[in-house]
Amino acid sequence: MKKSTSTNINLLPGIVILGLLIIWQIISQLNIIPTYMLPSPISVIEAFVSDFGNLMSNMWITLLEALWGLLLGIILGLLIALVMDMFEPIYRAVYPLLVISQTVPTVAIAPLLILWFGYGIMPKVVLITITTFFPVAVEMLDGFRSTDHDLITLMKTFGASRWKIYYYVKFPSSIDNFFASLKISVAYSVVSAVIAEWVGGFNGLGVYMTRVMKAYSYDKMFAVIFLISIISLLLIFLVNLLQKIMTPWRNSHHEQSRSSN
Amino acid sequence: MDQIEIKNIKKSFGSHQILNDISIHVDSHEIVSILGVSGVGKTTLFNIVAGISNPDQGQVIYNQQDITGQSGFFSYMLQKDLLLPYRTIMGNAILPSIIKNTSKKEAIQKAAPAFKIFGLEGTENKYPNQLSGGMRQRAALLRTYLASKNVNLLDEPFSALDELTKRNIYKWYLDLNQKIGTTTLLITHSVDEAVTLSDRVYILSGQPATITKELVIDSPQKRTDDFELTEDFLKYKKEILTSL
Ligand SMILES: Nc1ncnc2c1ncn2[C@@H]1O[C@H](COP(=O)(O)OP(=O)(O)OP(=O)(O)O)[C@@H](O)[C@H]1O
Ligand SMILES: [Mg+2]
């Protein structure tokens, strides 16, 4: 019984999206908004299919940038969290700067990065790294600092070194924080890649988007937007899957509580 | 030889003095209990003995060596079970060995037989959240035992167990103590537990807390199965209750 209600909840967003698409299609078909301004869903799908090759070749570039940037962002975020957790004075000195750094809009730094690093993949990766390290750093720092103090005490009675305390207690205790930040950073990474490509580049979904926009092919532009959403959703789905695999004690808990019902 | 001497310990938190001039000693192979009401400062004292927190005054001496403020000499089972939720019971049990760089395989070999003794067979690959409160406490006790130091500090190790399990565990612990010759300092709320297990009992009371009584449990019937039903047992119990 419980299970059927939960599948209903999972279906609900799908139903809402389908409903919106139908309304959108009707609006276009009745010409309430002219189709050159808002292409109908069906024409967007047609554009997606006919343009599939182009979309894919550009997607790989964007995806490559996003994943490199994300990887570097995660590493940088983890390092910053680690150093700030290990050294209290650094925490107090750096934390405010870290927050201030996030008030600088990415669109503003993108042209600068292109000036410094050229039109290749490099400025994109740098921009993504800058935007994705922050959630990881803040969340991991929070995880490290809120680790049960008694667990650390226990590790000390086992004679554990500082590194072993991180390895056996602080990192695993912060795994939920890590995945929470990863979900945010994954979404940021794709959007940042597209923004960086808008500003300048030779290929990628952002470049392609500006190109079709200048040609007034709004159906193609919507197809790109559609693709970007799908990529982000797929990546977040993968992160959720990874989280499930890496936190088996959670699953076992659910199984137990379900069977005891 | 394992001799612990705790000398003139004083400890305050802010302006609130918790411990005043506490001196106790534990000799090789002894089981010594500290009995006292909740909040009197038992855990505070243990943290000092374990070297996790520093006393304001006084020393902890282990085999003639001053170890005040140094941890890693004793196995310490803290009041909460503190099993790592993301490691299986086996993963938890072998943690002290792994931290000392024993190989995982070797640590498992050493730990596996102990699961039976602690009544934890079949839980090796379960996670702590799949165990009952009593099982978790036994698992924590198992881990403390596997940390294999000569001296065990146990902070209310049996409080989550039912009466029957408790009796078995007491017996088992007394046997173990005789077989391996561990030395134990134990905190408890339970007068029965203190009398059953201990060679000596210290009573901690007052504000700030001091040792108000030391009682030697040396009845000849001690360590027989029916010790709890003897007059000696009642006599000790009475003596403790009147001084609490
Ligand atoms: N870190 C701390 N900071 C301030 N006060 C503390 C701290 N730790 C303990 N106390 C206080 O010291 C007193 C003794 O605490 P302690 O934990 O030693 O009691 P206990 O005898 O172990 O009690 P219980 O049997 O309930 O575990 C309490 O009043 C407690 O509030
Ligand atoms: Mg306590």
Side-chain angles (χ1 to χ4, degrees):
Chain A
M1 225 198 86
K2 208 174 174 187
K3 208 167 182 187
S4 69
T5 50
S6 71
T7 33
N8 282 346
I9 287 166
N10 288 341
L11 276 179
L12 213 56
I15 293 169
V16 171
I17 289 171
L18 197 71
L20 286 175
L21 284 175
I22 291 169
I23 294 170
W24 178 5
Q25 179 69 30
I26 292 169
I27 288 174
S28 316
Q29 225 147 23
L30 298 178
N31 240 338
I32 296 170
I33 299 173
T35 46
Y36 63 85
M37 287 174 81
L38 183 70
S40 75
I42 289 178
S43 62
V44 171
I45 291 168
E46 278 165 4
F48 187 86
V49 172
S50 68
D51 224 17
F52 191 70
N54 258 334
L55 285 173
M56 286 300 116
S57 62
N58 284 299
M59 182 186 80
W60 289 122
I61 306 284
T62 305
L63 212 52
L64 189 74
E65 292 163 357
L67 292 181
W68 266 116
L70 185 63
L71 183 71
L72 294 175
I74 291 171
I75 293 171
L76 184 67
L78 285 177
L79 281 177
I80 288 175
L82 194 64
V83 170
M84 281 170 72
D85 186 60
M86 288 179 78
F87 307 103
E88 183 68 23
I90 295 187
Y91 169 79
R92 268 179 286 149
V94 174
Y95 198 83
L97 292 180
L98 207 61
V99 176
I100 290 170
S101 79
Q102 292 308 297
T103 60
V104 180
T106 36
V107 193
I109 353 174
L112 267 182
L113 292 176
I114 285 176
L115 195 68
W116 294 339
F117 300 113
Y119 284 92
I121 187 172
M122 180 75 155
K124 283 93 177 172
V125 171
V126 172
L127 186 80
I128 298 163
T129 305
I130 291 173
T131 48
T132 55
F133 89 91
F134 183 74
V136 177
V138 170
E139 275 286 334
M140 286 309 282
L141 188 64
D142 191 39
F144 290 160
R145 289 174 76 90
S146 60
T147 304
D148 185 346
H149 205 78
D150 288 336
L151 282 179
I152 295 168
T153 300
L154 179 78
M155 293 299 285
K156 284 184 186 157
T157 70
F158 293 157
S161 65
R162 209 169 182 192
W163 290 116
K164 284 188 175 163
I165 291 175
Y166 274 98
Y167 184 78
Y168 288 108
V169 175
K170 285 203 165 193
F171 271 104
S173 297
S174 309
I175 196 159
D176 285 335
N177 301 69
F178 177 71
F179 278 106
S181 69
L182 193 57
K183 278 170 218 173
I184 298 170
S185 290
V186 157
Y188 278 8
S189 71
V190 177
V191 173
S192 300
V194 172
I195 289 175
E197 287 166 356
W198 275 349
V199 178
F202 302 115
N203 33 32
L205 289 177
V207 176
Y208 185 70
M209 203 167 173
T210 48
R211 213 174 285 152
V212 293
M213 200 155 66
K214 277 177 194 151
Y216 299 103
S217 322
Y218 288 136
D219 50 348
K220 286 185 183 173
M221 199 182 83
F222 271 91
V224 180
I225 295 172
F226 179 57
L227 182 60
I228 292 169
S229 297
I230 290 182
I231 294 170
S232 301
L233 285 177
L234 270 178
L235 288 177
I236 289 173
F237 171 79
L238 282 178
V239 172
N240 278 328
L241 196 69
L242 194 66
Q243 184 173 21
K244 263 223 168 95
I245 293 168
M246 287 187 66
T247 56
W249 61 95
R250 291 269 147 62
N251 305 341
S252 65
H253 188 56
H254 284 189
E255 245 164 57
Q256 199 198 24
S257 59
R258 203 175 290 155
S259 63
S260 66
N261 280 342
Chain B
M1 188 200 62
D2 298 290
Q3 224 170 15
I4 310 166
E5 227 174 313
I6 294 148
K7 281 187 179 164
N8 311 101
I9 298 285
K10 281 190 187 173
K11 178 77 180 177
S12 306
F13 290 115
S15 60
H16 186 44
Q17 194 184 355
I18 308 290
L19 301 174
N20 188 25
D21 204 21
I22 307 279
S23 297
I24 61 181
H25 66 96
V26 185
D27 293 329
S28 266
H29 306 340
E30 257 193 322
I31 301 180
V32 174
S33 296
I34 295 178
L35 203 62
V37 295
S38 182
V40 75
K42 302 181 296 293
T43 301
T44 306
L45 178 63
F46 255 41
N47 288 341
I48 291 168
V49 178
I52 291 155
S53 95
N54 277 307
D56 299 337
Q57 245 179 66
Q59 288 121 35
V60 179
I61 296 178
Y62 178 45
N63 296 340
Q64 269 86 44
Q65 187 192 351
D66 189 340
I67 59 158
T68 315
Q70 296 172 45
S71 57
F73 287 93
F74 310 135
S75 307
Y76 182 12
M77 179 174 163
L78 286 89
Q79 198 164 2
K80 291 195 268 175
D81 65 51
L82 291 177
L83 297 169
L84 304 175
Y86 41 85
R87 293 178 77 91
T88 60
I89 301 303
M90 181 57 91
N92 270 285
I94 63 176
L95 192 62
S97 313
I98 285 188
I99 282 169
K100 279 176 274 167
N101 295 323
T102 310
S103 77
K104 196 174 163 187
K105 202 177 145 199
E106 205 178 314
I108 289 177
Q109 264 169 10
K110 191 182 135 203
F115 273 76
K116 189 170 176 178
I117 303 173
F118 283 77
L120 289 167
E121 288 159 296
T123 65
E124 288 87 345
N125 298 318
K126 291 198 167 160
Y127 289 100
N129 64 14
Q130 295 173 291
L131 265 55
S132 72
M135 288 162 99
R136 289 168 59 108
Q137 209 173 28
R138 272 180 280 151
L141 194 61
L142 166 70
R143 183 176 60 186
T144 310
Y145 162 69
L146 289 169
S148 56
K149 296 270 162 51
N150 297 334
V151 178
N152 292 328
L153 305 178
L154 308 176
D155 193 345
E156 297 186 27
F158 311 118
S159 59
L161 303 176
D162 61 279
E163 281 305 317
L164 286 174
T165 313
K166 248 187 221 181
R167 286 192 56 176
N168 287 330
I169 293 240
Y170 291 163
K171 214 151 106 203
W172 166 81
Y173 196 83
L174 288 169
D175 283 351
L176 187 80
N177 189 60
Q178 248 167 2
K179 241 185 275 164
I180 331 183
T182 50
T183 302
T184 305
L185 187 58
L186 173 91
I187 288 178
T188 177
H189 275 145
S190 154
V191 179
D192 283 22
E193 186 171 301
V195 178
T196 311
L197 286 177
S198 317
D199 298 303
R200 279 185 301 121
V201 179
Y202 285 106
I203 290 170
L204 195 62
S205 66
Q207 243 187 8
T210 51
I211 299 291
T212 51
K213 190 169 183 68
E214 180 188 347
L215 187 71
V216 182
I217 314 279
D218 54 1
S219 158
Q221 280 145 314
K222 198 180 149 220
R223 302 204 172 175
T224 57
D225 278 355
D226 300 326
F227 180 43
E228 290 148 88
L229 306 174
T230 62
E231 247 168 64
D232 280 2
F233 189 92
L234 277 180
K235 193 191 77 198
Y236 290 128
K237 208 171 156 177
K238 222 180 207 167
E239 208 173 334
I240 291 172
L241 286 172
T242 50
S243 54
L244 259 177

